[in-house]
Amino acid sequence: MLDVAVIEEPAAAAVTLDPKRARLLAEMAEPVSAATLAVRVGLPRQKVNYHLRTLEKHGLARVAEERRWGGLTERRLVATARSYVVSPAALGPLASDPGRTRDRLSAGYLVALAARAVRELSQLLRRAGQTGKRLATLSIDTEIRFSSAEARARFSNELLAAVGDLARRYHDESAPGGRRHRLVVVAYPTPAGAPAKEAS
């Protein structure tokens, strides 16, 4: 089971947005039968079987095992991932694109960058899975509490200078076999109620 699966197909995205199917997926972290699921979610078994077939059809659930009881076969299904993210690719031409955003200091531009990262990473993950290779990535996630807007501005300027210096030192346009990597650094206010992170 994957930790996170990215949904790229519009039909699969629509399936996960249905509250009943989303609830069923949430209950399927471990292999489970339709009968057990029906009791857990309070739906008739026939309805649960219908939803499970739909989840299977779109690659959101799979058969984990089959058990024979007399003349009957009990299928136990499991979700294909612990959690799911819908790729902007599922929206086709409506998907956000940072290239169409004029204001590079806007929250909309930041959202478009995040959407592009999800879209591109889902494609790269799919290719890596097909070839059996591990995808090389780097993630930094920290939280900083600035004392003032001026301190935030000073930090931004220093960060830009540091990243620019590193990029100039390590970028090699003519390296044989070199591979381009996209680096995106974002900052936004931490939402109220979000758990605090230690600065590292």
Side-chain angles (χ1 to χ4, degrees), residues 5 37 83 90-91 121 130 133 145 161 174:
L37 278 173
S83 59
L91 294 173
L121 278 167
Q130 291 167 349
K133 293 183 179 177
R145 182 173 176 168
S174 61

Side-chain angles (χ1 to χ4, degrees), residues 16-41:
T16 58
L17 293 175
D18 178 282
K20 290 186 180 86
R21 292 173 184 153
R23 170 80 194 282
L24 287 171
L25 276 176
E27 294 287 340
M28 295 169 64
E30 301 291 333
V32 63
S33 68
T36 301
L37 278 173
V39 172
R40 282 187 196 168
V41 300

Side-chain angles (χ1 to χ4, degrees), residues 6-8 85-97 111-112 114-120 122:
V6 183
I7 298 168
E8 296 180 337
V85 173
V86 177
S87 169
L91 294 173
L94 293 177
S96 63
D97 179 356
V111 169
R116 181 181 67 190
V118 169
R119 186 180 67 245
E120 291 178 347
S122 66

Side-chain angles (χ1 to χ4, degrees), residues 62-172:
R62 63 174 176 79
V63 176
E65 60 181 311
E66 291 184 340
R67 294 178 179 174
R68 293 196 64 77
W69 303 95
L72 300 173
T73 301
E74 179 189 64
R75 293 171 5 117
R76 292 165 58 85
L77 285 91
V78 66
T80 53
R82 287 183 177 82
S83 59
Y84 299 86
V85 173
V86 177
S87 169
L91 294 173
L94 293 177
S96 63
D97 179 356
R100 293 197 306 252
T101 306
R102 292 191 186 113
D103 183 0
R104 295 195 169 226
L105 298 177
S106 70
Y109 182 69
L110 195 156
V111 169
L113 286 176
R116 181 181 67 190
V118 169
R119 186 180 67 245
E120 291 178 347
L121 278 167
S122 66
Q123 295 165 358
L124 292 168
L125 277 169
R126 187 177 62 251
R127 284 188 217 136
Q130 291 167 349
T131 59
K133 293 183 179 177
R134 187 176 167 88
L135 182 62
T137 63
L138 164 70
S139 303
I140 300 171
D141 181 15
T142 191
E143 188 174 295
I144 304 166
R145 182 173 176 168
F146 295 109
S147 60
S148 65
E150 292 77 15
R152 188 184 66 230
R154 287 195 306 274
F155 173 84
S156 298
N157 290 334
E158 288 184 41
L159 181 62
L160 284 170
V163 170
D165 179 56
L166 284 169
R168 283 187 295 276
R169 285 192 321 191
Y170 287 94
H171 180 77
D172 188 344

